Amino acid sequence: MPTPLRLLVFLAALATPAIGATQPATGVAAPGYADLTDLVLAAPVIGDAVVRSTTRLKSKDVANVPAGLVRLYVEAEVRQLIRGADGLPPRVGYLLDVRPDLRGKLPSLKKARVLLFARPTPVAGQLQLVSPDAQLRWLPDVDAQVRAIVREALSADAAPRVTGVGNAFHVAGALPGEGETQVFLQTADNRPISLIVLRRPGERPRWAVALSEIVDEAAAPPPRDTLLWYRLACSLPAALPALSTAELAPADTVKAQEDYRYVLAQLGACGRSGTSG
């Protein structure tokens, strides 16, 4: 049954703030870990679906479509719910902006298998994509990584969101080049996280992340492409804020900044593309 125009117009008004140049379902590179994590954390509903139909909306019926894009109403059959406390109906609808090719032809989406990152709307069975790239081509490795991120994000001991950098301390050792730096981080739920760097003469610096008030032997660097790595690599500022070292002697401030930069270098770049985050 064709979707009533008044419903399409309503959905267009509702979804405009979140919709942008969504990736076509085919011919795109797989997104990186940071982009996938951005999407997972933003989306209360994640589904594996197959596109069954698309309807091009006329420009007079929608507003705020980015230049060069065309807005579609998409209906998709849900194969499997990956995340969503309230479930999903067998068929869902949502709005999608796509870019025509040089000849004005729209990408072919019918029968495409996709991953949807969305939030529910007041209209039953209708979803709102959470970001401009919230429809992704389904690929086995992307699906597996999304599910792994969901499991880690929903676990009881999931790494907290880092909101800032607190105080930093540096203690020089008895030998030249020996010392320890500890940087306390601020988190959304006030759980403790700190960065520790140990330097010994003739040895490579050792660093770790402590997730409790007491630093023990279990503290270690986070493996890349884990939620804790993401929380740090994608949130920490490029240098220690001046307030973090305000109570340190100048020489200790220099060491603390040096050790902090060492941690950032070991974490590596976040790798976020900038579209979803």
Side-chain angles (χ1 to χ4, degrees), residues 58 73 83 91 99 142-143 164 184 200 207 214 219 223 226 229 271:
K58 298 179 180 179
Y73 175 72
R83 179 181 187 181
R91 201 174 183 97
R99 188 178 301 279
V142 174
D143 181 277
F184 292 93
R200 299 289 184 266
W207 75 283
I214 300 174
T226 60
W229 171 86

Side-chain angles (χ1 to χ4, degrees), residues 58-144:
K58 298 179 180 179
S59 56
K60 67 182 181 66
D61 296 324
V62 295
N64 302 324
V65 179
L69 301 180
V70 172
R71 181 156 296 168
L72 304 177
Y73 175 72
V74 181
E75 290 191 338
E77 178 183 325
V78 178
R79 289 172 51 93
Q80 190 172 20
L81 179 69
I82 297 175
R83 179 181 187 181
D86 297 325
L88 281 176
R91 201 174 183 97
V92 296
Y94 56 95
L95 295 173
L96 181 70
D97 289 353
V98 298
R99 188 178 301 279
D101 63 18
L102 295 178
R103 297 173 296 174
K105 185 177 180 180
L106 300 180
S108 177
L109 298 177
K110 193 171 182 180
K111 297 184 179 180
R113 187 174 176 183
V114 295
L115 290 172
L116 301 176
F117 301 82
R119 60 179 65 92
T121 74
V123 181
Q126 306 301 315
L127 301 176
Q128 180 187 23
L129 300 182
V130 298
S131 76
D133 55 353
Q135 174 184 283
L136 297 178
R137 176 187 177 187
W138 186 93
L139 294 168
D141 55 340
V142 174
D143 181 277

Side-chain angles (χ1 to χ4, degrees), residues 2-274:
T3 303
L5 178 60
R6 61 182 180 274
L7 175 57
L8 297 183
V9 174
F10 169 77
L11 290 171
L14 178 68
T16 292
I19 302 278
T22 305
Q23 292 184 16
T26 59
V28 295
Y33 181 87
D35 287 321
L36 287 178
T37 305
D38 286 342
L39 289 170
V40 167
L41 296 180
V45 175
I46 303 173
D48 171 359
V50 175
V51 175
R52 292 307 182 196
S53 68
T54 63
T55 303
R56 180 171 181 167
L57 302 187
K58 298 179 180 179
S59 56
K60 67 182 181 66
D61 296 324
V62 295
N64 302 324
V65 179
L69 301 180
V70 172
R71 181 156 296 168
L72 304 177
Y73 175 72
V74 181
E75 290 191 338
E77 178 183 325
V78 178
R79 289 172 51 93
Q80 190 172 20
L81 179 69
I82 297 175
R83 179 181 187 181
D86 297 325
L88 281 176
R91 201 174 183 97
V92 296
Y94 56 95
L95 295 173
L96 181 70
D97 289 353
V98 298
R99 188 178 301 279
D101 63 18
L102 295 178
R103 297 173 296 174
K105 185 177 180 180
L106 300 180
S108 177
L109 298 177
K110 193 171 182 180
K111 297 184 179 180
R113 187 174 176 183
V114 295
L115 290 172
L116 301 176
F117 301 82
R119 60 179 65 92
T121 74
V123 181
Q126 306 301 315
L127 301 176
Q128 180 187 23
L129 300 182
V130 298
S131 76
D133 55 353
Q135 174 184 283
L136 297 178
R137 176 187 177 187
W138 186 93
L139 294 168
D141 55 340
V142 174
D143 181 277
Q145 193 163 45
V146 166
R147 292 172 188 272
I149 295 168
V150 169
R151 286 193 298 270
E152 190 172 8
L154 296 181
S155 66
D157 59 349
R161 180 167 61 90
V162 174
T163 58
V165 180
N167 291 331
F169 300 93
H170 177 78
V171 178
L175 301 174
E178 187 177 43
E180 178 177 346
T181 294
Q182 187 167 13
V183 179
F184 292 93
L185 304 181
Q186 299 164 344
T187 60
D189 59 1
N190 295 318
R191 276 190 284 163
I193 295 185
S194 62
L195 311 173
I196 302 100
V197 180
L198 297 173
R199 292 183 182 268
R200 299 289 184 266
E203 300 179 9
R204 292 188 61 181
R206 294 170 50 204
W207 75 283
V209 180
L211 298 175
S212 65
E213 299 285 357
I214 300 174
V215 180
D216 56 28
E217 294 297 324
R224 189 177 175 89
D225 292 353
T226 60
L227 187 60
L228 180 56
W229 171 86
Y230 164 90
R231 295 296 198 192
L232 300 173
C234 299
S235 301
L236 293 178
L240 283 176
L243 285 176
S244 298
T245 59
E247 298 182 5
L248 297 183
D252 291 338
T253 295
V254 171
K255 291 295 186 182
Q257 287 282 9
E258 179 183 352
D259 287 343
Y260 180 78
R261 289 194 298 271
Y262 177 79
V263 169
L264 294 185
Q266 296 302 302
L267 286 168
C270 169
R272 177 184 282 143
S273 70

